[in-house]
Amino acid sequence: MRQLASVKRITSINSIEGADAIECAIVGGGWPVVIRKGEFSEGDLAIYLEIDSWVPTALAPFLSRGKEPREFNGCKGERLRTIKLRGQISQGLLLKNLDDKPEGDDLTEWLGVQKWDKPIPAQLQGQMKGNFPSWIRKTDQERVQNLDGKICWDDEFEVTIKLDGSSMTIWRHKGETGVCSRNIDLKMDQDGNSFVDMARRVTGNILFPENIAIQGELIGPNIQGNREGLCSHEFFVFDIWDIEKQEYWVPEMVRKFCKCYGLDHAPVLHTGVKLRYLNIDSIESCLANAEGASLNHDVREGLVFKRVDGKFSFKAISNKFLLGESA
């Protein structure tokens, strides 16, 4: 489960040009958070709430700015977004660690924080068969800002463009074929659902092997604003999960599978390259490289980095993309 609220150390505090009342704290080596001047000190352990957290009103009533709180999954509160204050990007929220929780403690459930997700369009909701299968791992790469000191920049990675769509999984197990959205397993005998329609389109052309789950991004009309401007829905594969071995295929095998079966792979920028050779040797340089063009848009969502052995991966989301979401 993603740690949306955890105890992190403030690694530095920097002044903001032209600002007298606020300054910028750097948390966990990568997250910039605008704070009131003097509220925290370098080295403090604080409770950090990540962007896309849904924060209950009881925890931080000031987020609603005197207005009626919004509601998500039955909880009154607000979503944390990437914003810019006095020219400084701010990502998340810092709260005092009044209970002296130890560094690294996951406080997500304890504080009642939820992961905010965009509303699902009607054509994607569909009829539920069951929960997302427990024998398939959900796709959700860790953000680079949470991996300070855990990335070896001399390891070899595949680098792909992260497309802004809806996560989709097509699986084949025990002679049955199914399709999942991010959180649920859908009935295959329904019409008019975009996930099911795409799964039929894909499986109607190929009989892929047993015990695998093909995971990718469904993009196109009425999905996340259709940033790529497509006329029809397309499915871009980014992972294949081995259900029997309970592990991901290595990136090279996924690319070969897509080529063999005529499937689109997520746009590949680099294969088997040491990140340092791309001048990526820090969280800051990784985020800088996340900026750039997508398929048909001048601002991409970001990049995904998969180590060539398939055992480690992470994502870097473009700050231009995040600020555009908040506009």
Side-chain angles (χ1 to χ4, degrees), residues 33 54 68 74 79 96 104 116 123 138 144 157 248 256 265 298 311:
V33 185
W54 185 263
E68 179 66 22
R79 171 197 174 194
K96 290 286 187 178
W116 181 87
Q123 76 273 18
K138 284 189 180 181
V144 65
F157 284 83
Y248 281 115
K256 287 181 176 179
H265 191 284
D298 57 357
K311 304 294 184 183

Side-chain angles (χ1 to χ4, degrees), residues 180-195:
C180 302
S181 62
R182 174 169 292 282
N183 294 312
I184 64 173
D185 198 11
L186 294 160
K187 291 182 178 180
M188 284 289 285
D189 60 348
Q190 59 181 305
D191 296 321
N193 179 270
S194 299
F195 288 118

Side-chain angles (χ1 to χ4, degrees), residues 28-77:
W31 292 107
V33 185
V34 171
I35 58 174
R36 289 195 302 271
K37 187 165 286 188
E39 186 179 10
F40 295 93
S41 300
E42 185 175 318
D44 281 355
L45 287 178
I47 298 174
Y48 171 67
L49 279 67
E50 194 173 309
I51 53 175
D52 285 338
S53 295
W54 185 263
V55 185
T57 298
L59 184 61
F62 53 85
L63 290 176
S64 296
R65 299 181 180 182
K67 299 179 180 179
E68 179 66 22
R70 297 176 175 86
E71 186 170 330
F72 175 74
N73 280 348
C75 176
K76 294 275 190 178

Side-chain angles (χ1 to χ4, degrees), residues 56-324:
T57 298
L59 184 61
F62 53 85
L63 290 176
S64 296
R65 299 181 180 182
K67 299 179 180 179
E68 179 66 22
R70 297 176 175 86
E71 186 170 330
F72 175 74
N73 280 348
C75 176
K76 294 275 190 178
E78 302 292 341
R79 171 197 174 194
L80 291 180
R81 303 168 178 262
T82 295
I83 59 175
K84 189 175 277 191
L85 299 167
R86 301 297 291 269
Q88 170 64 52
I89 286 179
S90 182
Q91 296 180 301
L93 176 68
L94 279 180
L95 299 174
K96 290 286 187 178
N97 185 17
L98 299 177
D99 293 304
D100 291 325
K101 297 287 187 182
E103 186 172 4
D105 250 23
D106 182 2
L107 306 179
T108 306
E109 290 190 31
W110 186 63
L111 294 175
V113 175
Q114 301 181 55
K115 167 69 168 65
W116 181 87
D117 288 310
K118 295 178 182 177
I120 300 176
Q123 76 273 18
L124 295 181
Q125 291 178 6
Q127 299 173 30
M128 178 177 175
K129 175 184 175 183
N131 294 323
F132 193 95
S134 60
W135 28 269
I136 301 174
R137 181 178 294 178
K138 284 189 180 181
T139 60
D140 195 9
Q141 263 86 19
E142 185 63 272
R143 290 180 186 252
V144 65
Q145 293 98 321
N146 292 327
L147 296 172
D148 188 36
K150 298 179 181 179
I151 301 172
C152 178
W153 306 106
D154 287 313
D155 282 347
E156 295 184 346
F157 284 83
E158 171 197 79
V159 185
T160 59
I161 293 176
K162 190 175 190 312
L163 297 172
D164 185 25
S166 194
S167 180
M168 172 176 168
T169 299
I170 304 172
W171 55 266
R172 192 150 190 265
H173 184 50
K174 296 181 177 179
E176 184 181 358
T177 299
V179 63
C180 302
S181 62
R182 174 169 292 282
N183 294 312
I184 64 173
D185 198 11
L186 294 160
K187 291 182 178 180
M188 284 289 285
D189 60 348
Q190 59 181 305
D191 296 321
N193 179 270
S194 299
F195 288 118
V196 174
D197 291 345
M198 178 57 68
R200 288 173 176 169
R201 187 170 127 192
V202 170
T203 58
N205 295 330
I206 61 172
L207 182 61
F208 55 86
E210 273 275 352
N211 294 320
I212 65 169
I214 304 172
Q215 299 182 311
E217 202 78 7
L218 182 68
I219 65 174
N222 300 313
I223 301 177
Q224 313 294 38
N226 190 19
R227 289 172 61 83
E228 304 297 343
L230 300 182
C231 297
S232 61
H233 291 133
E234 300 295 339
F235 180 58
F236 288 85
V237 178
F238 51 66
D239 265 327
I240 294 181
W241 174 254
D242 190 311
I243 296 171
E244 187 173 11
K245 294 182 179 179
Q246 289 291 287
E247 63 184 22
Y248 281 115
W249 286 13
V250 299
E252 183 181 12
M253 285 180 62
V254 178
R255 296 195 302 273
K256 287 181 176 179
F257 180 91
C258 289
K259 185 176 181 180
C260 177
Y261 288 103
L263 299 175
D264 290 320
H265 191 284
V268 178
L269 298 182
H270 305 282
T271 60
V273 63
K274 293 183 178 180
L275 297 184
R276 201 178 296 277
Y277 290 171
L278 302 175
N279 294 319
I280 300 176
D281 57 5
S282 65
I283 291 174
E284 293 75 16
S285 58
C286 192
L287 289 170
N289 277 269
E291 310 293 348
S294 188
L295 290 174
N296 304 313
H297 198 284
D298 57 357
V299 177
R300 63 182 171 229
E301 183 179 358
L303 298 176
V304 175
F305 300 81
K306 289 197 182 90
R307 204 167 61 193
V308 294
D309 64 0
K311 304 294 184 183
F312 178 69
S313 64
F314 62 93
K315 62 187 176 185
I317 305 299
S318 158
N319 283 327
K320 286 184 180 178
F321 170 83
L322 292 172
L323 288 169

